[in-house]
Amino acid sequence: MKNLVRELTSIIGPSSYEEPVVDFIKKTLKNKKDLEIKNDPLGNLIVRKKGKGKKIMLDAHMDEIGFIVKHIDKNGFLRFSVVGGLFPHNIIENHVLFVNGVEGVISYEDKNFDWKSIPKIDEMFIDIGATDKKDAEKKVHIGLLGGMKPTFVDLGDRISTKSLDDRIGCAILLKLALDDFESENDIYFVFTTQEEVGLRGAKTSAYSVSPDFAIAVDVTGTGDTPESHIFEVKLGMGPAIKVLDYGMVVRKPVIDFMVDVAENNKIPYQLEILRSGSTDGMMIQTNKEGVLTGVVSIPTRYVHSQAEMCDMNDVENSVKLIKEILKTDLSKIKGF
Ligand code: CO
Ligand code: ZN
């Protein structure tokens, strides 16, 4: 599992440039003859494991936050815009890897630098080691996308790298798609695009799949580092079953169902009440006439940085929890 995560997080796939992730997922599933695989016009990858029962949509987004080149100055430095919620304090003097393989480092204008404030994105630039504009134009162009350079750090049970948000969700869905387990349900593993810029892939894929029940799998923050916000989610204490975030309130029958499955199978879990941010779950929940939707969140420190950290025990337990949910005959549950 750790190797799968390492491989998935080594891919650069900012929003709208998810094809390398799609290719990796297709390659990983190529021997699974029982799965139907298709792409939609927004780039979502929809993998179906046919069943006679209820339609269940599992969702994880393939895209990551990144950069786009918007200007090359006469000395060969690049000005950039962010793709998704990339925050200035997380990227100063980080290494960048563009989708064409060119590398660089992010720095900032230091003339007016004030130790008490963080430079704005507009005051930053990317240095690709070019000597002037002409030299830079040999390597990059306006509109070129990039992400943070992968730096996988193996800390034992815990790992730290870029884009655990949400390649960890992709890894969990892949593991479930690869595993052979009996289920009556009609299962759709949906790997979505453009989550980080507004949950856009989830919008179209939820519409086309039109599920009876859905689970989004994504990261959430934690409240377990020194002097952090009050937040009852800790690394290593089990998958977090979402109750509420900025974009959705999960309906009580869904929370009760997920909690029951966890308790009946002795899987550790936590309840998540997140103060900001949301997931594809928000978009799926309000699809068409509405979808019963839950979220399994992987507790993750330092979200949206090059050093996101999670605990592999939480990842394994998320696989267990979702597998038990998929095995449940949902038609027997009231309200589903
Ligand atoms: Co994110
Ligand atoms: Zn995410």
Side-chain angles (χ1 to χ4, degrees):
M1 191 76 184
K2 204 187 257 182
N3 253 333
L4 185 62
V5 178
R6 186 196 299 262
E7 285 186 275
L8 274 162
T9 57
S10 72
I11 302 168
I12 300 290
S15 309
S16 82
Y17 196 88
E18 297 90 352
E19 285 86 351
V21 189
V22 170
D23 292 345
F24 177 85
I25 293 169
K26 281 185 172 165
K27 192 183 79 195
T28 308
L29 294 177
K30 73 172 186 297
N31 293 325
K32 292 287 293 177
K33 300 296 176 216
D34 57 325
L35 302 173
E36 278 175 17
I37 301 182
K38 67 168 194 182
N39 270 103
D40 77 2
L42 228 70
N44 295 303
L45 186 68
I46 302 175
V47 178
R48 182 181 181 190
K49 183 176 174 174
K50 255 189 177 169
K52 294 187 293 285
K54 294 271 183 190
K55 248 193 231 182
I56 305 182
M57 171 172 169
L58 294 182
D59 163 293
H61 67 90
M62 295 182 286
D63 62 312
E64 67 187 89
I65 50 174
F67 316 89
I68 188 163
V69 178
K70 67 170 186 183
H71 174 76
I72 304 169
D73 77 12
K74 64 179 193 310
N75 295 317
F77 293 97
L78 320 179
R79 297 293 178 150
F80 61 95
S81 280
V82 294
V83 179
L86 202 54
F87 304 115
H89 65 284
N90 283 336
I91 59 172
I92 292 173
E93 272 135 24
N94 275 11
H95 288 123
V96 172
L97 177 56
F98 288 101
V99 298
N100 65 355
V102 170
E103 298 182 353
V105 57
I106 298 173
S107 195
Y108 55 91
E109 301 167 3
D110 64 5
K111 190 170 76 180
N112 300 312
F113 180 66
D114 166 7
W115 289 103
K116 288 202 178 73
S117 69
I118 300 152
K120 296 178 186 63
I121 296 290
D122 283 349
E123 296 163 338
M124 296 186 184
F125 53 82
I126 298 173
D127 182 347
I128 54 166
T131 49
D132 58 20
K133 185 170 184 170
K134 239 183 159 172
D135 189 31
E137 281 172 342
K138 287 179 203 150
K139 299 175 169 178
V140 299
H141 58 83
I142 305 299
L144 182 68
L145 288 158
M148 282 171 284
K149 190 178 170 174
T151 49
F152 190 95
V153 180
D154 188 340
L155 303 164
D157 278 351
R158 295 174 177 185
I159 56 170
S160 172
T161 186
K162 66 130 189 120
S163 67
L164 286 174
D165 176 12
D166 186 23
R167 303 288 161 71
I168 202 76
C170 295
I172 290 167
L173 261 60
L174 260 177
K175 182 80 175 56
L176 288 162
L178 286 168
D179 274 7
D180 290 309
F181 60 91
E182 291 297 317
S183 171
E184 281 294 296
N185 298 306
D186 197 12
I187 304 166
Y188 290 76
F189 302 91
V190 181
F191 300 89
T192 63
T193 56
Q194 301 198 25
E195 190 270 355
E196 297 290 358
V197 291
L199 321 176
R200 291 172 193 160
K203 184 174 183 174
T204 59
S205 55
Y207 185 89
S208 68
V209 171
S210 200
D212 300 304
F213 176 58
I215 296 177
V217 186
D218 206 336
V219 302
T220 189
T222 65
D224 62 353
T225 52
E227 305 292 329
S228 66
H229 290 286
I230 294 173
F231 183 28
E232 289 290 334
V233 172
K234 294 186 177 73
L235 235 58
M237 300 299 281
I241 295 171
K242 193 182 293 290
V243 176
L244 174 150
D245 65 23
Y246 190 73
M248 86 186 283
V249 186
V250 180
R251 291 201 55 219
K252 190 168 183 305
V254 173
I255 298 169
D256 290 348
F257 165 60
M258 293 170 76
V259 165
D260 279 352
V261 172
E263 287 184 350
N264 293 339
N265 292 285
K266 299 192 169 55
I267 300 164
Y269 70 94
Q270 321 178 57
L271 292 176
E272 175 200 359
I273 296 152
L274 182 67
R275 55 197 285 277
S276 62
S278 197
T279 71
D280 278 347
M282 163 188 173
M283 197 55 91
I284 303 167
Q285 190 186 39
T286 53
N287 181 57
K288 294 186 179 173
E289 59 273 269
V291 178
L292 285 172
T293 305
V295 179
V296 170
S297 299
I298 316 309
T300 304
R301 292 179 184 160
Y302 325 123
V303 173
H304 283 199
S305 80
Q306 196 167 29
E308 296 177 339
M309 185 190 294
C310 73
D311 189 310
M312 290 307 293
N313 294 307
D314 294 334
V315 179
E316 302 285 356
N317 281 317
S318 299
V319 172
K320 274 190 207 162
L321 175 62
I322 298 167
K323 191 183 286 176
E324 292 304 326
I325 289 171
L326 294 176
K327 283 158 68 179
T328 307
D329 184 354
L330 292 186
S331 56
K332 291 201 176 116
I333 296 171
K334 228 182 138 211
F336 277 68

